[in-house]
Amino acid sequence: MKVTYTGRQEPFTPSQTKKLDAKFAKIGKLLDSRGGEREAHLILTSERHLRRAEITVNVYDRPMVGVANGSDEFTSLCQALEHLESRC
């Protein structure tokens, strides 16, 4: 699965990056098996103390979106990925 990042992003630690790669790989296996490689578009935004992660994946020409808010970018990103996993 190809992932495109948009927005301002603070650097993640290697352990966080490893966890994110594993979660994207799991979603990639679920979606790529349905015909062709998918591309995910990730948008990270921040407003004062709130971090918002939005992940969009096109499946059969329809967008599947996972959105989450949190106090930390990594936490909100993990919640958005879990939301996408539950919809697969």
Side-chain angles (χ1 to χ4, degrees):
M1 175 175 277
K2 296 179 184 178
V3 181
T4 305
Y5 293 94
T6 303
R8 207 169 122 196
Q9 175 184 348
E10 296 177 12
F12 294 119
T13 63
S15 64
Q16 290 175 335
T17 306
K18 189 175 180 180
K19 288 179 185 177
L20 289 174
D21 289 342
K23 290 187 181 217
F24 271 116
K26 184 176 179 181
I27 291 175
K29 284 181 186 177
L30 292 172
L31 296 177
D32 291 345
S33 66
R34 296 183 182 175
E37 186 177 20
R38 304 290 179 212
E39 184 172 332
H41 186 77
L42 172 66
I43 301 171
L44 293 170
T45 57
S46 62
E47 296 178 16
R48 295 188 184 187
H49 68 282
L50 187 65
R51 307 295 187 258
R52 181 174 190 218
E54 179 179 334
I55 304 170
T56 306
V57 180
N58 286 327
V59 180
Y60 297 118
D61 297 330
R62 299 198 184 268
M64 245 176 57
V65 181
V67 179
N69 296 317
S71 60
D72 182 14
E73 287 181 352
F74 182 73
T75 306
S76 60
L77 184 58
C78 286
Q79 289 175 351
L81 281 168
E82 289 173 6
H83 186 237
L84 273 179
E85 276 183 33
S86 67
R87 299 185 84 195
C88 289

